[in-house]
């Protein structure tokens, strides 16, 4: 979903951060903004001179600072040409400066981090994936309160 999402990095509870982020994403997904933006873009492409449209969309396309993706893959092993697929992963390379993609497959979750080289080394961020995921998992499993209601 297109939208502006702000992260709170001063969190004390990982589970609260996850639920807060989920609610923000749900609001973005329910917003008419992406639909309106697409309709406006299609209209502008038809009515603007070609050079003006190219200049406008080049500027707009570089305003994205980061992209997040989560994809639920098959939750049981799959086979390709008779061979069991051991792992799935993907990456997105685009105009944004940072990309983090999560993919679940066969009961496992993996992450891919891509950064524009001017922002640093993606491996410095990626090396924290397993330890932070394990901490989040432990916190969720230890939580005995009510499940927060969805948006």
């Amino acid at each position: 979903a297109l939208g502006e999402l702000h992260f709170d990095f001063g969190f004390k509870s990982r589970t609260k951060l996850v639920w807060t982020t989920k609610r923000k994403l749900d609001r973005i997904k329910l917003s008419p903004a992406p639909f309106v933006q697409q309709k406006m873009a299609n209209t502008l492409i038809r009515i603007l001179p070609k050079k003006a449209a190219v200049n406008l969309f080049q500027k707009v396309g570089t305003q994205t600072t980061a992209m997040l993706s989560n994809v639920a893959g098959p939750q049981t092993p799959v086979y390709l040409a008779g061979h069991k697929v051991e792992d799935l992963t993907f990456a997105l390379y685009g105009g944004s400066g940072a990309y983090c993609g999560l993919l679940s497959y066969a009961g496992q979750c993996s992450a891919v981090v891509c950064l524009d080289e001017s922002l640093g080394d993606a491996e410095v961020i990626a090396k924290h994936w397993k330890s932070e995921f394990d901490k989040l998992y432990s916190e969720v499993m230890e939580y005995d309160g009510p499940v927060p209601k969805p948006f």
Side-chain angles (χ1 to χ4, degrees):
L2 296 172
E4 200 171 292
L5 181 64
H6 299 275
F7 289 98
D8 175 15
F9 289 104
F11 64 89
K12 294 183 193 258
S13 164
R14 288 173 179 82
T15 52
K16 184 177 178 186
L17 175 65
V18 168
W19 281 109
T20 300
T21 303
K22 168 124 176 59
R23 286 191 182 106
K24 289 178 182 180
L25 288 169
D26 288 346
R27 285 188 188 105
I28 291 169
K29 290 176 183 178
L30 293 172
S31 170
F35 176 77
V36 172
Q37 290 170 344
Q38 184 65 47
K39 292 297 182 185
M40 288 180 65
N42 289 342
T43 301
L44 288 172
I45 286 173
R46 287 194 307 270
I47 64 173
L48 285 176
K50 186 176 182 177
K51 187 173 182 178
V54 167
N55 287 338
L56 175 64
F57 289 107
Q58 282 179 336
K59 288 178 187 173
V60 170
T62 60
Q63 291 181 356
T64 301
T65 55
M67 185 178 298
L68 301 173
S69 172
N70 65 314
V71 176
Q75 293 308 297
T76 57
V78 295
Y79 294 81
L80 183 64
H83 298 277
K84 182 179 175 184
V85 175
E86 297 294 332
D87 187 23
L88 287 178
T89 190
F90 67 95
L92 177 74
Y93 301 96
S96 64
Y99 168 77
C100 180
L102 302 177
L103 175 69
S104 63
Y105 169 66
Q108 300 294 314
C109 186
S110 61
V112 171
V113 178
C114 300
L115 285 180
D116 182 288
E117 63 183 15
S118 67
L119 297 175
D121 185 355
E123 293 208 16
V124 172
I125 294 172
K127 74 178 182 180
H128 298 285
W129 160 248
K130 181 165 177 16
S131 63
E132 284 301 313
F133 183 83
D134 289 345
K135 289 174 190 173
L136 172 62
Y137 182 83
S138 293
E139 192 174 308
V140 167
M141 297 311 289
E142 292 169 6
Y143 182 75
D144 63 355
V147 175
K149 293 180 182 176
F151 173 70

